Amino acid sequence: ADRDEPGQRHARQVFASLQGVAACVEIVEAAGEGLSDGRRIKDAADHLEAGFTPADFVVTRQEHDEAPDLAPDLHEFLAVDDEAYDWLIPHVLERGDRLIWTGAEGCGKSMQTRTMAVCIAAGLHPFDRAVIKPGRVLFIDCENSERKTRKHFRYLEKVARSKGRRVPDGNLRIICRPEGIDLLSEDGAAWLLERVTAHKPDLLCIGPFYRLHQADMNDERAARLATVILDRARAKADCALITETHAGHGEGPVRPVRPIGSSLLMRWPELGIGIRRTENAERSESGHYMTVDVVQWRGARDDEYSWPRQLTWGSKDRDEWPW
């Protein structure tokens, strides 16, 4: 159906004429809101031009519909009691949240993402180390080899055991795709949705974002289509999602933490958190800054979120967490 009244009316007529004739009848409409040139997506041709596939059509009516599916009125809508937060990490990350984690190259953002993955899988708060409910984590590394990824996770698993919180079998699944994933391709999108369907994670860590499609990072359309697939994966598993991206380059004394690339990345997540070196911070022997500031470039939705303001580098000699 074209997304206008005449098109929808015509589709209903065809739908009615096929009742009792076809084995299955559905009415579908185009997905998405607009094309890169500002035109509104109206019909199947626009839908395909925007990069969507036939599988992305939105079903508006099926053969067995007996009555219109009316939206709830105000009182029905408010009758559902969902005031309580469904925290994955108390006061840090709620189920369904999208977090973009940013920072300069080599400042430790990837290590913090891995630490959060291990802590959630083991049932530890990643910042105050309180015991929390363990969650299932699917970690898809689109940048590093299996050997390098094993090196990082081997140490983190050791720290978790030293704290008496061994990661339960099956709670943290790791996939290495150093060649990246092209979520703009039908195969790439299908692969991710299959993995999420199979693993049913509470948290999906995937990235960095620039490895999730092969287009220019500043391409708004490419970023939009990639986030559509990420949102489909997140909705399918009803999970939180964390992805990383590099922060912008600045010439002043304080480097910005906002993500480079399409401005969509500023609008898409519920949480945008960056780390940058604290002024006059010392370096460790391995080259890491000993303290970093935690900066919210896209603030949390409400006051129930409470992120730390600084992180301090831990000591491997004492089996401490990296941050």
Side-chain angles (χ1 to χ4, degrees), residues 87 89-93 99 101-102 112 115-116 125-129 257 271-276 278 291-300 303-313 323:
W87 293 116
I89 308 172
H91 304 288
V92 170
L93 194 68
L99 164 64
W101 188 245
T102 65
Q112 179 57 35
T115 301
M116 291 176 71
H125 194 293
F127 299 125
D128 64 21
R129 313 308 182 195
V257 294
L271 296 164
I273 311 291
I275 56 176
R276 65 183 174 209
T278 302
T291 58
V292 292
D293 293 328
V294 179
V295 182
Q296 296 191 29
W297 50 263
R298 180 173 175 82
D303 294 337
E304 289 297 321
Y305 286 78
S306 180
W307 279 71
R309 296 179 181 178
Q310 278 192 338
L311 298 176
T312 302
W313 193 252
W323 285 118

Side-chain angles (χ1 to χ4, degrees), residues 1-2 4-22 25-28 60-61:
D2 287 358
D4 56 25
E5 288 188 14
Q8 292 162 349
R9 187 183 310 115
H10 174 69
R12 294 186 199 107
Q13 293 170 351
V14 176
F15 183 96
S17 72
L18 292 173
Q19 294 300 297
V21 178
V25 188
E26 292 180 339
I27 297 178
V28 300
T60 61
R61 190 170 180 181

Side-chain angles (χ1 to χ4, degrees), residues 31-294:
E33 294 302 322
L35 299 171
S36 58
D37 59 7
R39 288 185 292 122
R40 179 172 173 267
I41 294 178
K42 176 184 175 183
D43 56 21
D46 295 339
H47 175 96
L48 297 173
E49 183 182 342
F52 295 105
T53 70
D56 297 318
F57 282 122
V58 179
V59 177
T60 61
R61 190 170 180 181
Q62 295 178 312
E63 183 179 23
H64 299 295
D65 287 351
E66 295 180 357
D69 184 14
L70 297 179
D73 78 353
L74 171 66
H75 304 292
E76 292 173 325
F77 185 76
L78 296 179
V80 177
D81 183 13
D82 54 5
E83 292 293 321
Y85 286 84
D86 189 3
W87 293 116
L88 193 57
I89 308 172
H91 304 288
V92 170
L93 194 68
E94 189 180 13
R95 185 177 299 278
D97 279 346
R98 294 164 293 194
L99 164 64
I100 293 184
W101 188 245
T102 65
E105 301 82 355
C107 70
K109 64 181 181 301
S110 296
M111 186 59 77
Q112 179 57 35
T113 303
R114 297 185 193 102
T115 301
M116 291 176 71
V118 171
C119 284
I120 291 171
L124 284 172
H125 194 293
F127 299 125
D128 64 21
R129 313 308 182 195
V131 174
I132 63 175
K133 180 181 178 181
R136 296 186 304 274
V137 181
L138 176 58
F139 194 98
I140 304 177
D141 190 330
C142 297
E143 192 170 43
N144 297 295
S145 66
E146 289 189 0
R147 187 178 69 84
K148 190 170 184 179
T149 300
R150 262 193 293 272
K151 176 182 176 182
H152 291 302
F153 276 107
R154 184 169 283 120
Y155 174 69
L156 294 171
E157 191 275 334
K158 176 185 175 185
V159 175
R161 280 190 289 108
S162 75
K163 308 301 182 185
R165 300 296 298 184
R166 179 184 181 275
V167 175
D169 293 348
N171 254 26
L172 176 52
R173 304 281 185 176
I174 301 168
I175 300 173
C176 294
R177 292 275 301 242
E179 72 278 16
I181 308 170
D182 185 5
L183 295 182
L184 307 191
S185 72
E186 187 173 347
D187 286 344
W191 179 89
L192 176 60
L193 293 172
E194 289 167 0
R195 302 287 79 70
V196 169
T197 300
H199 294 91
K200 299 178 177 58
D202 299 301
L203 171 66
L204 170 63
C205 297
I206 182 171
F209 189 81
Y210 83 96
R211 305 287 289 176
L212 301 183
H213 66 75
Q214 298 176 359
D216 190 309
M217 279 295 293
N218 294 305
D219 187 334
E220 181 90 358
R221 176 174 173 273
R224 177 171 58 83
L225 293 175
T227 57
V228 164
I229 300 304
L230 291 175
D231 278 336
R232 287 178 60 187
R234 179 177 61 97
K236 182 172 281 290
D238 187 24
C239 65
L241 185 150
I242 298 177
T243 189
E244 303 170 26
T245 188
H246 293 307
H249 295 279
E251 297 181 357
V254 179
R255 180 166 176 170
V257 294
R258 294 183 177 185
I260 61 173
S262 167
S263 62
L264 177 74
L265 299 181
M266 292 290 298
R267 307 188 300 271
W268 176 62
E270 280 78 22
L271 296 164
I273 311 291
I275 56 176
R276 65 183 174 209
R277 70 178 181 90
T278 302
E279 188 176 1
N280 301 321
E282 298 180 356
R283 287 182 180 267
S284 67
E285 293 183 0
S286 61
H288 285 286
Y289 290 106
M290 295 302 293
T291 58
V292 292
D293 293 328
V294 179

